[in-house]
């Protein structure tokens, strides 16, 4: 029982008064025309270099796949 209260106190309670943090959604998804679908051009872009301070092609491909499916 104590562990359940500890989890609730550290995860649920702080989130009740918090706001959504929008640190990188604009550059990764909202304002990024390359994640609008899973196309050859978008895949080439994802694997062609460093994006947003690091090399993360699978991260970008996952956004492309989300856009394609949903």
């Amino acid at each position: 029982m104590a562990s359940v209260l500890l989890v609730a106190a550290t995860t649920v309670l702080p989130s009740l008064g918090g706001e959504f943090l929008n640190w990188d959604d604009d550059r990764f998804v909202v304002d990024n025309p390359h994640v609008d679908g899973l196309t050859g051009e978008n895949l080439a872009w994802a694997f062609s270099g460093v994006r947003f301070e690091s090399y993360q092609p699978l991260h970008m491909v996952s956004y492309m796949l989300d856009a394609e499916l949903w």
Side-chain angles (χ1 to χ4, degrees):
M1 181 64 172
S3 61
V4 172
L5 291 174
L6 182 60
V7 169
T10 58
T11 58
V12 176
L13 294 177
S15 67
L16 294 177
E19 295 181 22
F20 179 74
L21 298 176
N22 186 11
W23 290 335
D24 56 11
D25 291 341
D26 54 345
R27 65 184 178 160
F28 279 113
V29 181
V30 177
D31 296 333
N32 188 349
H34 298 285
V35 297
D36 62 352
L38 199 57
T39 66
E41 181 181 331
N42 289 344
L43 287 172
W45 172 84
F47 285 92
S48 65
V50 173
R51 306 285 178 231
F52 312 115
E53 296 89 30
S54 62
Y55 183 68
Q56 49 194 344
L58 298 180
H59 183 189
M60 294 291 117
V61 171
S62 73
Y63 289 139
M64 294 173 197
L65 187 59
D66 285 341
E68 193 70 34
L69 294 175
W70 315 113

